[in-house]
Amino acid sequence: MSTTEEHLSPALRTEALEQLLTERGLVDPAVMDKFIATYETAVGPMNGAKVVARAWVDPEYQQRLLGDGTAAIKELGFGGPQGEHIVVVRNTPQEHNVVVCTLCSCYPWPVLGLPPSWYKDPAYRARVVREPRTVLAEMGLDLPDDVPITVRDSSTEVRWFVLPERPAGTEDLGEEELAALVTRDAMVGVAKVAAP
Ligand code: FE
C-alpha cells in the first residue's frame, strides 16, 4: 500500500515545499523565479555547443579546454553554480567517454543547463557503470568492441564534460554552424555529433 504523499506529483510537492520555505523566510520567491527562468532560457546546452565549436576550430583553445576546463569555459563567459570545477575529456574514434553521476545528478550547469530526466534515473546511473556498451547501444550509440569506454562519475568535486568528435564533412563550416550541430547528448557522451 502506498501512502498519500506518493500520489502527489513532483510539481505539487515542489510547490508545497516552496511555500513552506517562503513562509519561514528561507527563500525569496522572486529569486527562485529568476533562477528557474535563467536555467529555462539563458543557460543550456547551447552554451556547451559554443565551447565545443570553438575547440574544433581553434587548436590552442582546445588545449586550454582540456588542460583547465573551468578557466577555458569562463573565457567564453560561462560559469556559475555547479560549474566551479569542470573537467573536459575528448571523445575520439579510438576512445569514448560517457558521463554519469552515480550518487545523484551532478551535472555542469553553466554549459549544459539542468540535467535531463534519464540522467537522474537510477537505472541509467547504476547500469552505465556496469555495462556501458549495452546502455549506449540501447540509447542508439553502437560503438565498436575495440573502442574502450571510460565512465566518468561526476560529483560535487568534479563535473565532467565531453568534447565530442568533430564529424567528417564539416571542414567548410564556420563556428556558428558547427555549434548548431552539437547536441546535449554528445556532450554527455551518450551520442555522437552527426554530420549535417
Ligand atoms: Fe550528483
Side-chain angles (χ1 to χ4, degrees):
M1 288 292 133
S2 51
T3 62
T4 315
E5 293 103 86
E6 280 169 313
H7 290 296
L8 287 175
S9 72
L12 262 176
R13 294 176 65 93
T14 310
E15 210 174 296
L17 196 59
E18 183 183 349
Q19 205 176 325
L20 253 173
L21 290 168
T22 305
E23 277 170 16
R24 301 196 175 179
L26 294 171
V27 303
D28 175 349
V31 171
M32 261 185 77
D33 287 347
K34 188 163 176 267
F35 190 81
I36 291 165
T38 300
Y39 283 92
E40 270 176 352
T41 57
V43 182
M46 59 283 200
N47 291 357
K50 286 179 191 157
V51 171
V52 169
R54 175 66 55 86
W56 283 348
V57 300
D58 181 345
E60 284 174 16
Y61 180 76
Q62 182 174 137
Q63 284 309 312
R64 294 201 295 282
L65 184 66
L66 294 171
D68 182 345
T70 311
I73 286 165
K74 191 103 198 161
E75 281 181 45
L76 299 196
F78 309 130
Q82 312 261 335
E84 292 84 357
H85 191 189
I86 299 176
V87 179
V88 183
V89 282
R90 196 172 145 218
N91 277 352
T92 71
Q94 288 79 38
E95 52 181 341
H96 192 87
N97 296 274
V98 60
V99 181
V100 66
C101 171
T102 53
L103 271 183
C104 43
S105 54
C106 297
Y107 197 68
W109 289 5
V111 273
L112 292 183
L114 301 176
S117 54
W118 58 259
Y119 185 85
K120 297 182 271 186
D121 187 338
Y124 172 77
R125 286 156 39 202
R127 289 187 60 226
V128 78
V129 176
R130 288 201 312 265
E131 41 179 1
R133 208 171 295 274
T134 307
V135 171
L136 290 178
E138 285 169 6
M139 295 178 87
L141 179 60
D142 277 304
L143 291 171
D145 285 339
D146 61 347
V147 173
I149 301 171
T150 307
V151 179
R152 306 289 186 172
D153 194 357
S154 277
S155 65
T156 48
E157 304 296 320
V158 174
R159 305 296 155 101
W160 295 93
F161 176 81
V162 170
L163 170 60
E165 183 192 344
R166 180 172 176 167
T170 57
E171 294 74 15
D172 297 334
L173 297 188
E175 204 173 322
E176 248 174 68
E177 295 165 296
L178 287 168
L181 301 177
V182 181
T183 62
R184 173 196 68 202
D185 288 6
M187 296 180 279
V188 181
V190 297
K192 289 193 182 209
V193 176

